[in-house]
Amino acid sequence: MKKSFLTVCVAFLFLTATAQENSYIVKTRGAKKKAQMEMVSEEPVPSVSSSEGETVRDFISDNFRFYSLCDWQEGMKFMVMPEKYDLVVKTFADAGTGKEVSSMSLRHKIMIYKGHTEASDGHHRINFHCQDNDRDYYYEIPSGSFDDYCYNKLGVPTLAYLGDVDIAREKLMGKTLYTKNQHYRVDTEYDGDGFQEVIVDKDMEVKVTAVGVGTRAYPVKIIVEDRDGNEFYQNVAISKTNCGMRDDEFIMDNAKFLFANSFELVDDIMAVNSYNYRAYIGRIVHTKFPTTMLNESTKKIQNIPRMIGYQIEALTPHKADTKFTAKLKNTILGTYFYKDVTLDQKSISGTSKDFEQEPDDYFSYIFAPGPGKKIETTEASRGMIRMGHVSPGFSEDEVMLAAGEPDEVQHGENGLYTWIFKRSNNKLLVVEFNGSGVVEKAYGKDAPKAKSTTTKRRAATTKKRSSSSWKSGKGTPL
């Protein structure tokens, strides 16, 4: 038992010593030279970004090509970057012996793609030559042919694409960037994968000091330094080659690991804008009119009532058009919302008549300076509101925060009234209030079937009268 443990220790120390000589392994200052017996998995930390920004679209598309497995070319380089799961489920087999090989023994080794073949038993293999030990390995496709397998997102487990790292080194070393997030990392171990999260200021100027390999999903590790000499890093996905994730999975916690959600190139900032849009950042504004925005918590478009306060967290310029993606923090809930807007009315295409039809694109039409209406909520209700839920005991204000302004209001006897909200999939949210303006019941139901044209006209007239009485009676909007 002792001999076995000693053997593992010696093997691990040899591997970490080899990793120190690997130029792709880079660390922030202060990382301690302390070997670990167990790898620390890279778990994404919460992020406030939603999707890859438009600012660096040309930089990404011009320099970082996505290669699906079907399009891999012989000679492409990858590095074995196993996580905990990969240490249990072996990925590669030795081509000479046909035996599976531990991912730990291949950790940080460079694999060169050598095409794919079909074995005598009918299984298809993806072949590699290891640059570090001059041996051949293969990954056996679980089922089906290579042509069937190569179109899915799975790719080859453990492999981080080094093509992105090489290009990032060439294009970004010594460059000045701006931070687009607050959550970054510093290394805590020189020989291991330990890290500590740090909080930094957004829109802070930094300089790239090193570029190396990160993880399979986020293969490019970018180390930057601020003006005070503090170093920190982010692992980012750029081309997404073999990252094992679909585009729609880069949301919520994963969104920050896209390059454009962590860094912004100075050259791109100057190219997109001739005026200082950064002056908007940090301002408190409120909605002048009802609108719609993307709720980061629910990942759905949400109806927003008027007089709701927000702090402007970021404005990401598009390169394809004159718009910006505004990231707004609700001052009551702390929830993040996103909306595409233009800052200049002249940027709205067409005539003044077109502007009247599409005012929702113009930032100054939707928002006004100031905090908006003060709304009292409880901690319990805020949790439900963030997810767009309505519960008994809610006030009118709380219902509006959660669901927006109602599409229809119905008045009953003894001061009772009902708000009705249209939902997707032909569903309705029905919220019943008591005479004191407190929710007694909230439930969903199917919307009524489509009516004839005559009936629809009558319904529209009824709704208009109902809305008019609502504005002068119970259920007064914000």
Side-chain angles (χ1 to χ4, degrees):
M1 184 71 179
K2 290 183 178 179
K3 183 178 179 180
S4 176
F5 180 77
L6 180 61
T7 302
V8 173
C9 289
V10 172
F12 187 87
L13 290 173
F14 172 78
L15 289 169
T16 53
T18 303
Q20 292 177 39
E21 300 171 0
N22 191 327
S23 65
Y24 283 104
I25 306 301
V26 294
K27 301 288 181 178
T28 55
R29 282 193 293 269
K32 297 179 180 179
K33 293 187 176 183
K34 176 185 177 183
Q36 289 193 158
M37 289 305 301
E38 185 178 342
M39 292 182 62
V40 178
S41 63
E42 293 265 336
E43 294 294 335
V45 296
S47 162
V48 295
S49 296
S50 65
S51 57
E52 185 163 8
E54 302 282 351
T55 310
V56 292
R57 173 179 289 175
D58 289 347
F59 172 71
I60 298 298
S61 61
D62 289 348
N63 297 289
F64 299 90
R65 175 187 169 186
F66 166 72
Y67 290 90
S68 72
L69 178 56
C70 304
D71 299 325
W72 283 14
Q73 301 170 6
E74 291 195 28
M76 290 175 66
K77 292 196 304 182
F78 301 83
M79 182 174 285
V80 181
M81 300 295 291
E83 298 183 3
K84 283 185 177 180
Y85 175 81
D86 302 312
L87 300 180
V88 178
V89 180
K90 296 176 181 178
T91 300
F92 298 98
D94 189 304
T97 65
K99 294 182 178 180
E100 292 183 334
V101 180
S102 167
S103 294
M104 176 60 81
S105 66
L106 297 176
R107 180 171 178 254
H108 291 171
K109 284 183 167 51
I110 295 176
M111 294 287 194
I112 301 174
Y113 177 61
K114 290 296 181 181
H116 58 90
T117 55
E118 182 178 355
S120 58
D121 61 1
H123 287 92
H124 287 246
R125 298 174 176 178
I126 302 173
N127 304 312
F128 299 90
H129 179 75
C130 180
Q131 176 178 295
D132 298 286
N133 63 16
D134 199 30
R135 295 185 67 86
D136 293 326
Y137 298 89
Y138 64 85
Y139 169 70
E140 188 169 279
I141 294 174
S143 62
S145 68
F146 175 83
D147 290 336
D148 294 331
Y149 181 83
C150 72
Y151 285 103
N152 64 44
K153 70 160 189 171
L154 299 177
V156 180
T158 79
L159 293 185
Y161 179 49
L162 294 181
D164 283 356
V165 182
D166 291 336
I167 296 172
R169 278 180 168 177
E170 177 188 350
K171 300 294 182 180
L172 295 176
M173 279 297 298
K175 290 284 188 180
T176 298
L177 307 176
Y178 279 99
T179 56
K180 299 305 297 177
N181 209 283
Q182 287 186 296
H183 299 272
Y184 294 83
R185 297 172 176 178
V186 295
D187 293 299
T188 57
E189 296 165 351
Y190 188 77
D191 301 324
D193 296 319
F195 65 87
Q196 178 182 344
E197 185 182 345
V198 294
I199 306 297
V200 306
D201 292 333
K202 283 190 298 184
D203 297 313
M204 178 172 63
E205 186 176 303
V206 294
K207 184 177 181 180
V208 179
T209 58
V211 177
V213 69
T215 67
R216 180 209 172 175
Y218 319 113
V220 183
K221 180 178 182 178
I222 301 175
I223 299 179
V224 296
E225 180 182 68
D226 65 18
R227 291 182 176 180
D228 296 326
N230 301 309
E231 280 192 339
F232 48 91
Y233 76 90
Q234 194 75 286
N235 294 328
V236 297
I238 305 185
S239 76
K240 303 175 187 173
T241 297
N242 198 54
C243 75
M245 297 174 63
R246 301 186 308 269
D247 287 349
D248 59 6
E249 292 178 291
F250 283 95
I251 56 175
M252 303 299 289
D253 291 353
N254 294 328
K256 65 168 286 186
F257 296 107
L258 289 168
F259 177 85
N261 287 343
S262 281
F263 299 108
E264 185 173 28
L265 285 164
V266 173
D267 293 343
D268 286 312
I269 297 172
M270 299 308 295
V272 172
N273 302 290
S274 59
Y275 57 91
N276 185 15
Y277 70 88
R278 293 180 183 277
Y280 283 78
I281 308 301
R283 288 185 181 180
I284 301 295
V285 296
H286 66 269
T287 49
K288 292 193 292 184
F289 303 99
T291 187
T292 57
M293 290 193 274
L294 174 66
N295 184 327
E296 184 182 73
S297 296
T298 63
K299 301 185 287 294
K300 295 180 180 179
I301 299 297
Q302 180 174 324
N303 294 321
I304 306 296
R306 61 190 183 94
M307 295 301 292
I308 302 300
Y310 297 89
Q311 179 170 320
I312 305 172
E313 294 287 304
L315 287 166
T316 304
H318 299 190
K319 272 201 168 181
D321 52 40
T322 58
K323 290 185 179 181
F324 292 72
T325 297
K327 178 177 151 185
L328 303 152
K329 183 178 181 181
N330 186 292
T331 55
I332 302 167
L333 305 172
T335 310
Y336 291 95
F337 291 83
Y338 299 86
K339 186 169 184 65
D340 288 342
V341 296
T342 179
L343 303 182
D344 185 357
Q345 183 175 343
K346 295 179 182 179
S347 298
I348 300 177
S349 60
T351 64
S352 57
K353 184 178 180 180
D354 295 324
F355 172 71
E356 291 174 0
Q357 295 173 350
E358 297 185 282
D360 204 37
D361 289 340
Y362 184 35
F363 186 91
S364 294
Y365 177 88
I366 310 165
F367 299 100
K373 181 179 180 180
K374 184 177 180 180
I375 298 177
E376 299 293 336
T377 64
T378 65
E379 184 175 349
S381 66
R382 283 194 294 272
M384 298 191 69
I385 292 170
R386 291 187 185 100
M387 300 307 296
H389 298 317
V390 176
S391 176
F394 272 25
S395 66
E396 289 184 351
D397 288 339
E398 289 175 319
V399 174
M400 285 197 178
L401 275 177
E405 299 195 17
D407 295 292
E408 183 179 349
V409 177
Q410 297 177 353
H411 294 281
E413 298 178 355
N414 301 321
L416 303 179
Y417 56 98
T418 301
W419 287 2
I420 298 176
F421 301 84
K422 294 179 182 178
R423 290 290 188 257
S424 59
N425 300 323
N426 204 34
K427 299 288 185 180
L428 298 177
L429 170 64
V430 180
V431 182
E432 298 180 0
F433 291 86
N434 63 22
S436 302
V438 176
V439 175
E440 283 192 339
K441 186 188 299 184
Y443 56 93
K445 72 173 187 178
D446 293 331
K449 294 182 179 180
K451 302 176 181 179
S452 65
T453 305
T454 303
T455 307
K456 286 181 180 179
R457 289 172 181 167
R458 291 174 180 171
T461 305
T462 303
K463 179 178 178 181
K464 183 176 180 181
R465 291 172 181 171
S466 176
S467 177
S468 176
S469 62
W470 166 47
K471 292 178 181 178
S472 60
K474 283 292 183 181
T476 304
L478 291 175

